Amino acid sequence: RRPVTDRIRCLTLFLILAFSMPGDLGSEVTKRVFHVDRNEENLFSTDAWKPFGKGFRKVGDTFYCENETTDEVRGAVQLVVLEQKVAARIMACASSKAINVSGKSDIHFSLYFDIFYMDGDKALGKRESFSTGSHDWEEKTFAFLPPKPIQSINCYLLFRKHSGMVLFRKQF
């Protein structure tokens, strides 16, 4: 197998949060924290997703969000407490399918993060946007190297200011 630094990638599981710490000579070591089969910690809980706005409908492992107008707000949110001692890169992946989603790709249909630092500062609206229109499953990866240690993150599967239907789910 190739070294971890050559394999930094998104695992095709619903949502992954990974950390990397500075290593020798500037290299990075990535710890994947979703893949339970490798005895690695999962920081996202499948039962901890809360409705955002008008929320979602869940069938199996799929979240459905349908907006009849562009005034509606839907999605899911989960708080992840990190309490980092040193700044460490975070990475997350999500997949979405779109059906007749209006408008252009933007912040309002995205894998979206509000990041809160240990010193009380915050970085709001960090995201990876999904394509609009109609498309099959699309995977997006968000990576962020914070300038200082992170206390917590609000992670959103966000669908607002667009009409249409979107699905968020695991990929295997």
Side-chain angles (χ1 to χ4, degrees):
R1 289 175 56 114
R2 293 174 14 196
V4 171
T5 55
D6 293 340
R7 294 184 287 119
I8 297 175
R9 63 180 173 80
C10 175
L11 297 175
T12 54
L13 295 173
F14 182 59
L15 195 57
I16 300 104
L17 186 62
F19 297 93
S20 57
M21 300 290 290
D24 295 331
L25 304 174
S27 66
E28 293 181 309
V29 177
T30 297
K31 177 183 177 187
R32 289 185 266 180
V33 294
F34 199 114
H35 201 289
V36 179
D37 292 341
R38 295 187 182 181
N39 297 320
E40 295 170 357
E41 173 184 21
N42 176 2
L43 296 180
F44 286 96
S45 170
T46 57
D47 297 330
W49 290 101
K50 305 284 187 226
F52 178 72
K54 292 184 176 180
F56 54 86
R57 181 173 49 96
K58 187 174 180 188
V59 177
D61 62 358
T62 303
F63 293 99
Y64 290 77
C65 299
E66 185 170 12
N67 290 341
E68 292 184 15
T69 71
T70 57
D71 296 328
E72 295 178 82
V73 175
R74 295 188 190 278
V77 60
Q78 184 170 156
L79 171 67
V80 179
V81 177
L82 301 178
E83 296 186 346
Q84 294 178 334
K85 302 295 183 221
V86 295
R89 185 172 85 146
I90 59 170
M91 183 189 306
C93 300
S95 295
S96 182
K97 181 176 185 175
I99 303 165
N100 297 322
V101 174
S102 67
K104 296 184 179 190
S105 179
D106 61 21
I107 191 172
H108 303 295
F109 174 29
S110 63
L111 172 60
Y112 181 103
F113 294 86
D114 287 334
I115 299 168
F116 302 91
Y117 296 107
M118 294 297 289
D119 67 2
D121 284 349
K122 51 192 163 192
L124 306 177
K126 302 293 184 184
R127 83 270 179 197
E128 281 296 326
S129 298
F130 292 102
S131 301
T132 56
S134 294
H135 59 77
D136 206 354
W137 293 103
E138 173 184 41
E139 185 176 281
K140 291 294 182 173
T141 301
F142 169 82
F144 179 70
L145 180 59
K148 48 193 164 185
I150 296 173
Q151 194 279 326
S152 64
I153 298 170
N154 279 331
C155 175
Y156 298 83
L157 301 172
L158 186 62
F159 186 54
R160 63 183 179 192
K161 298 188 179 184
H162 291 276
S163 60
M165 177 187 279
V166 301
L167 294 75
F168 299 100
R169 74 170 175 117
K170 296 179 184 180
Q171 280 188 333
F172 295 99

